[in-house]
Amino acid sequence: MTNRAKTTRLVANIEYRDEASDILVEPGDAAVVVRGVPRSFMMKCPDGCGEMLAVNLDGRTDKAWRLDMRGGAPTLYPSVWKEAGCRSHFIVWRGYIVWYDRWDNMEPPYDPLLEDTVLRLLTVEYQNADELAYAVDEIPWDVSRAARRLMKRGIAEEGRGKLLGSFRLSGARMTKER
């Protein structure tokens, strides 16, 4: 296995995708194609395979990812999953690259106050982390982490199967509040 990048470095905003090949050198280097609005997130594959990734940001065309630049570092939502080539699967989260097949990932700094915000949103019905994040203008990855920390405290639970990534108050919590 090659040396995978643990962070991404936003090099520049560019006007055309083909400009990326000259400026993205190291795995994880990235640029945003902007023509009026952000169109693509160009990235040298963080897996180290050498491929150039083009992630669509323009919702007017095909499937689009969301780019969030809070704190000056890029976050993409949802995850990036290469179906060909190196087949890597990862999250770009506040400048960190979190790999799905590794357990030694570094995650961005955590604000425990977000747990209180997420707890106020949870109900007896499952709600997707993306919906919860939208309700409070937060990054879905941050909301998922807060909800999973609430799970560790026995306050929340996550759905299974098609409800994976959706959260609700735990059964014990629902009984207590009645």
Side-chain angles (χ1 to χ4, degrees), residues 36-55:
V37 296
R39 304 286 179 144
S40 301
F41 186 83
M42 302 299 297
M43 179 181 225
K44 189 81 162 195
C45 185
D47 187 73
C49 69
E51 286 186 41
M52 187 69 62
L53 306 178
V55 178

Side-chain angles (χ1 to χ4, degrees), residues 74-135:
T75 295
L76 289 175
Y77 187 83
S79 65
V80 177
W81 195 338
K82 288 184 60 190
E83 295 179 0
C86 68
R87 303 183 63 82
S88 57
H89 187 193
F90 57 90
I91 294 170
V92 176
W93 180 11
R94 294 185 186 264
Y96 290 80
I97 296 171
V98 180
W99 295 94
Y100 270 86
D101 63 350
R102 301 223 12 202
W103 301 107
D104 62 342
N105 288 305
M106 290 177 34
E107 293 183 351
Y110 181 69
D111 180 2
L113 295 177
L114 184 55
E115 290 175 35
D116 294 333
T117 302
V118 171
L119 180 58
R120 285 192 298 275
L121 294 173
L122 293 179
T123 65
V124 296
E125 300 295 325
Y126 283 108
Q127 297 171 79
N128 185 283
D130 189 29
E131 296 163 354
L132 294 168
Y134 182 77

Side-chain angles (χ1 to χ4, degrees), residues 147-168:
R148 288 190 174 100
R149 289 178 66 114
L150 291 170
M151 288 172 51
K152 287 181 181 178
R153 293 174 32 207
I155 297 170
E157 58 188 45
E158 183 173 10
R160 295 183 179 180
K162 290 182 179 181
L163 291 174
L164 194 64
S166 295
F167 302 90
R168 70 177 184 182

Side-chain angles (χ1 to χ4, degrees), residues 24-36:
L24 305 183
V25 179
E26 297 295 321
D29 282 357
V32 179
V33 176
V34 180
R35 285 191 311 278

